[in-house]
Amino acid sequence: MPGLVENLTFFVLAAFLGYSVITKIPANLHTPLMSGANAITGITLVGAVVVAGSGDTTLATVLGFIAVVMATVNVVGGYLVTHRMLKDFSKGGRD
Amino acid sequence: MEPYVLLADQLPESALSLVYLVAAILFIQGLRDMTHPRTAVRGNLLSAGGMLLAVGITVLWFEILSPVVLIGGLVVGSLVGAFLAVKVQMTQMPQLVGVFNGFGGGASTVVAGAELLEISGGLPVDVGVAAVFSGIVGSVTFFGSMVAAGKLHGTIDSSAIRYKGEHAVKVLLLVVALIAGIYMVAQPGMVPALEADWVPSYWVLVLAASVLGIALVIPIGGADMPVVIALLNSYSGLAAAGTGFVIGNTALIIAGTLVGAAGAILTVIMCESMNRSLSNVLFGGWGEEAASSEEMDEIYEGNIKETSPVEVEMLLDTADRVVIVPGYGMAVAQAQHAVAELSELLAENDVEVEFGIHPVAGRMPGHMNVLLAEADVPYDRMKELEEINPTFKQTDVVIVTGANDVVNPLANTDDSSPIAGMPVLNVSDARTVIVNKRSLSPGFSGIPNPLFAEDNTSMLFGDGKETMQELVNEYKENH
C-alpha cells in the first residue's frame, strides 16, 4: 500500500493535469463533460468490489452490496447517457 | 477453499498498480478527446474502457468471499443505470445527471464506512482523516444531489425555501459531523468499550452530513441549479479521491481528483457568467421575491408592441442573418425541435442562422447545446456569448425564445440591479428583436426587463412549442 506522501503526490499532480485538460473543453460539450466526469467518479466501484468481496460479517456484506449497486448505477448509467448525448453532436463541423 | 485462481497469487503486486495506471491514462485521454465534438464519442469509449479494465482486474485480483453478493450488486446496478440512461428524455437530463452524481458520492461514503470495519487494532490518523472527509463530502453529495434532482424534476418546490436561522442550522450540522469525526480519529486502538467494531461515530457523522446536504440545497432556487450540480459533481470526485486515501488505491485518487477539478472549473465558469460569488449563489437565496407591479408598469406601460407569426415570417423573408437565443423556457415548452426546424428552413433558404447561447441558460452547464444537438442542430451553429455579441450589429432578426435574464440590458446599465455586471447577450444591437414568451412575467432574478419595451422589440406571446411551430408552418407555406 503506497504511503501518504505518494498519495498526496498523485492528488496534486492529478489536480493540475485535470485543470489544464478541462479548461480546453468548449461550452458546447459542458453537459457531456459533466456526465462523463460523473461516470469516472464511479471508480469508487473498485473500492466497493474489494469491500463487498472481502466482507466476513453480515454488516460488511450488506454495506458492500449497497456500495456496489450505487457505484454500478453511476458507472453504467453515466457512460451510456454520455454516449447518447455525444452521438447527437456528430452533426456539423466544417472546420 | 479457492473458487478460482487469484491473479494476486500469480503476479507481483506491481502488476495491479500497472493496470490502474493504464486505466488512469485512458481516463485522461478520454477527457482530452472531449475538447472536440468529433473526437468526444471516442473519448467517452476510452474512458469506459479504462473503467472496465480497473474494475475487471480488481474482481480477478482480490479474493471474493461472497461472489453472489458481488455479482448480484453488479447486475442490479447495471440494469438500473442502463434503464435510466436509455429511458430518460433529453429535457430531463439535468436531474438524471444529478441522480447519478449522488449515487457516486453515496457509494464513496459507504465504501469508506465498510473499510473501517476491516481495520483492526488501531486506525492510522491519515486514514481516519480521509474517512471523515469522504464520509462528510459523500453524504452531502448524495442528499444534496437528490434534493437538486427533486427540484429540477418538480417533485420538490423549486423556489428558494428560506427559513429563520437556516445558516445556524447548517453550521450546527457541520459541527456535529466534525465532532463525531474528531472522536473517531482521536481514539487510538478503537477501545472496544467506547467504540463497537462498526464504528458508530462514523455513522453519526454520516447522518449529520446527510441532513446538512439537504439543508444546503433546499434554500437554493431552481435557476441556480447549474452551479449546484457542477459543485456537487466536484464533491463526488473529491469523495472518491478521499476514499482512495482510505483504502490506499491510486486509481481512485487520480480519477476522483480529475473529476473534482472538472466540477470546480465548471462551478467557477457558471458563477462568473452570472457575476456572482459562489457564496452568494449558495447562501444568498435568490428567486424568492418578485418585482413590484408598479415598477413593471412604469417600464412596460404603452411601450409593448405585439406581433404575430405572420408578421415575423415576413421579417424573416427579407432577413440575411438571424440569431436565435434560447433559454430554459425552450426546454420547459419542449420547443427545441420546432426551433431546430425553423433554423434548418432558414439555412435552406440561404439565410445565415446561428444560435447565441448564454453559459447559464438552462439548468446545467451546456443544457441548451445538448437539447439543440438532439434536435439535429449542427454544433458549429451554436455560438458562445463572447463570439455572438459582436455580431448582433450585423444581424437582421433576433428571436429570443424562453430566455429573460440573460438578455436583460439592466445588467449593463443599472449598478443597483441584482444582475449588475452579469455578461448578457446584447440582442438589441440587432435591427429587430422578437421575444417569444408566454407573458411579461419576470425571470429568475425577479426584475423587469426593459428589452421588452424597446423600440426595435416586438413580443410574440404564446407557448414556445406552439408558437415556433406556427412560425415554421407559415414559413413553409411561403417558400
Side-chain angles (χ1 to χ4, degrees):
Chain A
M1 195 182 275
L4 177 65
V5 178
E6 283 93 331
N7 282 342
L8 278 176
T9 310
F10 287 125
F11 175 76
V12 173
L13 292 180
F16 277 96
L17 182 67
Y19 179 82
S20 63
V21 171
I22 289 147
T23 42
K24 293 195 183 74
I25 297 178
N28 247 341
L29 294 178
H30 276 170
T31 296
L33 162 67
M34 232 172 51
S35 121
N38 202 351
I40 297 179
T41 324
I43 187 68
T44 200
L45 177 57
V46 165
V49 166
V50 177
V51 170
S54 64
D56 44 11
T57 61
T58 316
L59 181 64
T61 311
V62 170
L63 289 179
F65 180 75
I66 295 172
V68 170
V69 171
M70 290 213 281
T72 311
V73 169
N74 189 194
V75 167
V76 174
Y79 280 118
L80 275 179
V81 91
T82 308
H83 186 73
R84 201 179 133 192
M85 285 189 275
L86 286 174
K87 266 195 334 214
D88 293 333
F89 278 97
S90 54
K91 208 173 169 207
R94 284 173 291 272
D95 49 321
Chain B
M1 191 190 80
E2 285 294 313
Y4 51 83
V5 182
L6 292 176
L7 278 184
D9 299 334
Q10 311 283 314
L11 297 167
E13 173 95 26
S14 55
L16 179 66
S17 306
L18 269 179
V19 175
Y20 285 155
L21 174 64
V22 174
I25 292 170
L26 290 172
F27 292 148
I28 294 162
Q29 185 56 42
L31 286 173
R32 286 188 57 193
D33 282 349
M34 286 252 192
T35 49
H36 199 282
R38 252 179 317 188
T39 52
V41 173
R42 180 185 73 193
N44 189 49
L45 291 175
L46 283 180
S47 176
M51 184 63 71
L52 194 63
L53 200 59
V55 174
I57 187 80
T58 310
V59 171
L60 296 177
W61 192 272
F62 292 95
E63 191 181 355
I64 308 291
L65 292 177
S66 37
V68 180
V69 172
L70 177 61
I71 294 167
L74 290 171
V75 169
V76 171
S78 302
L79 288 177
V80 173
F83 177 80
L84 289 173
V86 174
K87 283 286 166 206
V88 163
Q89 288 180 1
M90 278 297 169
T91 42
Q92 297 172 326
M93 206 47 73
Q95 50 266 50
L96 183 67
V97 171
V99 166
F100 285 158
N101 193 37
F103 275 28
S108 293
T109 296
V110 177
V111 170
E115 179 67 14
L116 290 177
L117 296 174
E118 306 284 310
I119 297 173
S120 52
L123 176 66
V125 173
D126 55 340
V127 174
V129 170
V132 170
F133 179 79
S134 37
I136 294 179
V137 177
S139 308
V140 166
T141 305
F142 180 79
F143 283 94
S145 298
M146 292 305 144
V147 173
K151 280 183 175 250
L152 291 166
H153 201 65
T155 30
I156 300 175
D157 185 358
S158 72
S159 60
I161 302 166
R162 313 296 304 268
Y163 51 92
K164 219 174 163 229
E166 60 168 87
H167 294 311
V169 169
K170 292 175 211 164
V171 171
L172 186 72
L173 287 165
L174 182 63
V175 168
V176 170
L178 286 175
I179 289 175
I182 291 166
Y183 179 78
M184 184 181 98
V185 176
Q187 281 189 84
M190 293 273 169
V191 184
L194 286 172
E195 187 82 290
D197 62 2
W198 55 285
V199 200
S201 50
Y202 180 76
W203 299 101
V204 171
L205 170 155
V206 167
L207 182 69
S210 301
V211 184
L212 176 63
I214 298 172
L216 281 172
V217 181
I218 280 281
I220 303 176
D224 278 339
M225 285 303 138
V227 181
V228 174
I229 296 266
L231 187 68
L232 290 171
N233 190 36
S234 173
Y235 282 2
S236 73
L238 293 176
T243 302
F245 279 90
V246 177
I247 64 172
N249 187 309
T250 48
L252 261 74
I253 297 175
I254 295 174
T257 310
L258 288 173
V259 180
I265 292 166
L266 289 179
T267 308
V268 170
I269 293 175
M270 293 297 112
C271 287
E272 282 175 355
S273 308
M274 298 190 291
N275 194 35
R276 289 166 65 196
S277 69
L278 182 57
S279 81
N280 178 276
V281 174
L282 295 182
F283 306 115
W286 263 36
E288 40 174 346
E289 70 231 88
S292 67
S293 55
E294 307 94 74
E295 200 184 346
M296 284 173 53
D297 284 347
E298 197 183 309
I299 293 173
Y300 296 149
E301 190 94 71
N303 293 321
I304 298 293
K305 287 182 300 297
E306 238 187 280
T307 184
S308 66
V310 181
E311 285 174 23
V312 176
E313 195 278 330
M314 286 192 285
L315 273 173
L316 293 176
D317 211 21
T318 58
D320 291 321
R321 180 179 158 81
V322 174
V323 173
I324 302 175
V325 175
Y328 181 57
M330 181 185 80
V332 174
Q334 308 257 20
Q336 69 271 25
H337 293 281
V339 170
E341 195 182 353
L342 179 67
S343 73
E344 199 51 48
L345 282 171
L346 290 168
E348 278 167 18
N349 286 287
D350 293 325
V351 179
E352 190 188 350
V353 56
E354 286 182 334
F355 288 82
I357 300 177
H358 194 278
V360 294
R363 288 295 187 261
M364 69 178 160
H367 191 183
M368 294 295 116
N369 310 72
V370 169
L371 288 180
L372 292 171
E374 189 215 7
D376 286 336
V377 172
Y379 62 79
D380 48 8
R381 270 190 213 148
M382 306 175 206
K383 302 292 179 191
E384 296 180 34
L385 179 128
E386 300 82 32
E387 220 179 326
I388 202 85
N389 257 349
T391 71
F392 282 123
K393 285 199 174 70
Q394 293 93 48
T395 301
D396 301 302
V397 181
V398 172
I399 301 176
V400 178
T401 177
N404 191 345
D405 291 335
V406 297
V407 291
N408 193 331
L410 284 179
N412 297 329
T413 54
D414 180 3
D415 284 342
S416 65
S417 136
I419 59 167
M422 165 171 158
V424 289
L425 294 154
N426 300 321
V427 291
S428 53
D429 285 350
R431 203 151 55 92
T432 313
V433 181
I434 305 297
V435 178
N436 168 224
K437 231 177 145 307
R438 286 205 301 207
S439 68
L440 288 171
S441 61
F444 180 59
S445 66
I447 57 171
N449 191 339
L451 170 74
F452 304 159
E454 273 180 39
D455 288 341
N456 58 343
T457 301
S458 298
M459 300 300 296
L460 182 61
F461 288 115
D463 168 78
K465 189 177 179 178
E466 281 167 28
T467 315
M468 286 300 142
Q469 198 58 55
E470 275 174 53
L471 199 49
V472 165
N473 296 344
E474 204 62 49
Y475 197 85
K476 271 186 187 160
E477 263 177 44
N478 294 297
H479 287 87

